[in-house]
Each structure stands twice: as structure tokens, then as C-alpha cells.
Amino acid sequence: MHYITAGESHGPVLTTIVSGVPAGLKVSEAQINTDLERRQCGYGRGGRQAIEADKVKILSGMRFGKSLGSPIALQITNKDGENWCHVMAAMGAPPADLVREVTPRPGHADLVGALKYGTDDCRNVLERASARETAARVAAAGIAREFLADLGVEVFSYVVRIGEVELVEDQPMLAAPDYKPLDIETSEVRCPDSGTSEAMKAAIDEAHEAGESLGGVFRVVATGLLPGLGSYAAPAERLNARLGGALFSIPAVKGVEFGIGFDAAMRAGSDVHDPIAINKKAGFVRIGNNAGGLEGGMTTGMPLIATVAMKPIPTLAHPLPTVNMDTLETEEASTERSDTCAVPACAVVAESEVAFVLAQAYLEKFGRDTMVDIKAAIRAYKQRVRTMSR
């Protein structure tokens, strides 16, 4: 299962095509729209979210609510595109009053993208480098999430830190899978602790008043996974490599840890690795989950836990110095309508990337054609694994 997206931040639509979807999968536009809404929400979001009300339209690959086995095309309309139709026209000559973007923002793709593609207008870069593109990813991942849910796998996220405000967790690798979705989604910053949520909101307010932006840290958790997804046999097949690459593909993500991550480098081996035991019902189990559900590039059957760091949004109310690409003089960087904090939204996008990688791993292990065959293969695998532990 793979996706490709197309569209600019202020273009008319965002489009995505998902290929490799098995036949017979139930897909709900309403469920995808719920995830799109979650991506738009979050304390500290900017004015663009007041304009857009993202809704998906499924154009192909489905019949009567079930997948056909052919590529699925999805589309999201950019309401703000109506206000940019002349500036972002796909065809024709540029308008006479066009103002080029020539003061690239530090921390964004503006300058490097302009150098790479040889353009004297940073808008050619920033429109596609914008995090607005992630709306199409979330829509596409709605297909992967439906697939995983049908197999008993749930993917969710929660915010651990915004700026200097951090959720205190005694044993995060054990606590993470037990957080309640209601506690997460009713928080404006998607943090399961109400006191920490209020402190995070106060930090965002303070940053907004100062014309600053804030980054943070969140966790993505996947439960219900079978052991043995991924592979140790080749570097590109290792699931941690694929998950890491997917998470780093998200704009503003600067760090990824699995399990206790960097903390493992400061402990002795006996305090890092999870002992193996036998459970009469479950078979082989781990005592603890410092590994975050991954060993040797494969799932262990324990919850998958990834901790992800997001940098602050690069567009600032008080812009940093830059160089005008026309005059080569020092000026203030350009400004775009932006957020003070988008960590809760980034966490939803990260869920989507994790869901796609996990869906691919299931299809590789259990077949690709139909949901009926995939479920039969999973039943046979579970039986074999149980037999090996007896």
C-alpha cells in the first residue's frame, strides 16, 4: 500500500492516490473526515484553520463503501484557493502585479529549494513545502487506518511536551498504551493530563504574545500488533528504519526514538533489554517494553511506541534576518499566515505515517489481494505461533 500526493498550499485542491489496497475493505469518508478535523484542531493553530474545513471526497477505487482492489483517489478542496487563483494559476501568464517572494525564511525550505530548482520566487517552493500538504497524507492514511482497524490494530498519539512544559510520566513505556482516547482528544493540546494541558496552553499564550512559536514532543502508539512484522534480513526491510524514514518525512520533525531511545545509551544492558517469558494464553511475551515494540527490525507483539520531536514553526511574527535574493541586502524574512504551535496536529500526521508503514508490513506478511485471504493467513499465523510456544 503506497500513496502519492499532489497540490499546493493555496492551490484549488489537494489530491492523493492510494495504491495496493486489498479488495473488500470497508472505508468511511466520515472516519477520514474525523482525522482531518483532528489534524486541524489544537491550541495555538493559526488563521488558516478558521478558513478551511477539510472534507475528503473519494473519487475512485470504491464501490458501495468497499474497496475494489484498484487505486483509490481522494480529494480535499482548499477553500482559501479561491483567494489565490490568480497568484497560483496553473496555466497562462503571471499577473502584472505579481509580487515575488524573495526574502526566504530561516528554518524553512524557501532558500534551499530555490537554489535547487533555480527559481527566483520562493513561492514556487513554499507552496509545496508547506505543512498544508499533510492534510492529503492524513486523508490517504484513512485507508491504512481502516485496514489496520479491521485487523485489530489501533494507532493513536498524545502530546508529551510543548516548549518547556512536560507531562511527567514515571514509566512512559508502560503508561503510553493505557491512556484513554477521550482524555487525549478532549484536551486542546491532546495531552491526557488536564493540569499539564493547562500549563501547555499558558506557554502557547505566552509565546503568541511574544511573537514566538513553540515546538514540542509527542508519542505515537500502536496496539494489537502481531510479532514478526518487518525483517532483520535486509537493511531496507527493517521496520524501525522504515518507520523512522516515514516520521522524518513530516515537515518540522527533528528527532525520533523507539522505546526508551537515547536513554538506552546511558543504562547497562541488564536495565535496557526486555526479558522473555511464556504465558499460557499469549505464548512468548516480554517483561517490560523498553524496546518500544521493536527488536531486530521486527515487531515483538508489544505496543509500538515512538517518541517524536518537532521544531518550532519557522514563520515568526518578528521575523529573523535573511538576505533579499534580488538585492543581496539583509532584510527581515517574509511572513506567511502561520501557527504559534502545531505539535498536536503534527502528532495526528505522525499517526498517519506510522499507519501506512504498518499496513505495508501486514500486506507483505499476509498477502495483498483480498481482506478474506489476508484474515485467513493471519489466523493460520497465529495458530502456528501459539503452537511454537507450547
Side-chain angles (χ1 to χ4, degrees), residues 229-273:
L229 302 174
S231 177
Y232 62 88
E237 295 173 0
R238 287 179 172 262
L239 206 58
N240 48 339
R242 293 160 65 178
L243 286 163
L247 289 167
F248 275 119
S249 77
I250 302 169
V253 166
K254 301 298 285 184
V256 175
E257 295 180 345
F258 297 106
I260 61 174
F262 277 89
D263 193 33
M266 297 181 285
R267 301 188 190 183
S270 60
D271 192 33
V272 171
H273 305 298

Side-chain angles (χ1 to χ4, degrees), residues 86-127:
H86 298 297
V87 175
M88 292 303 299
M91 304 299 290
D97 59 351
L98 179 69
V99 178
R100 292 182 295 111
E101 296 286 351
V102 295
T103 49
R105 293 163 293 173
H108 210 284
D110 297 355
L111 176 60
V112 181
L115 295 175
K116 175 179 174 65
Y117 289 107
T119 179
D120 62 355
D121 187 349
C122 289
R123 184 155 297 283
N124 288 1
V125 178
L126 67 87
E127 282 288 330

Side-chain angles (χ1 to χ4, degrees), residues 4 15 37 47 141 202 217 273 291 305 325 368 388:
I4 184 171
T15 303
E37 184 178 1
V217 176
H273 305 298
I305 303 174
M325 294 172 65
R368 301 173 179 274
M388 292 177 65

Side-chain angles (χ1 to χ4, degrees), residues 16 19 51 68 71 97 122 124 142 144 160 177 179 201 210 214 241-242 305 337 361 376:
T16 182
S19 59
I51 297 173
L68 297 172
D97 59 351
C122 289
N124 288 1
V160 176
Y179 287 122
K201 289 168 60 178
L214 289 179
R242 293 160 65 178
I305 303 174
R337 186 171 45 221

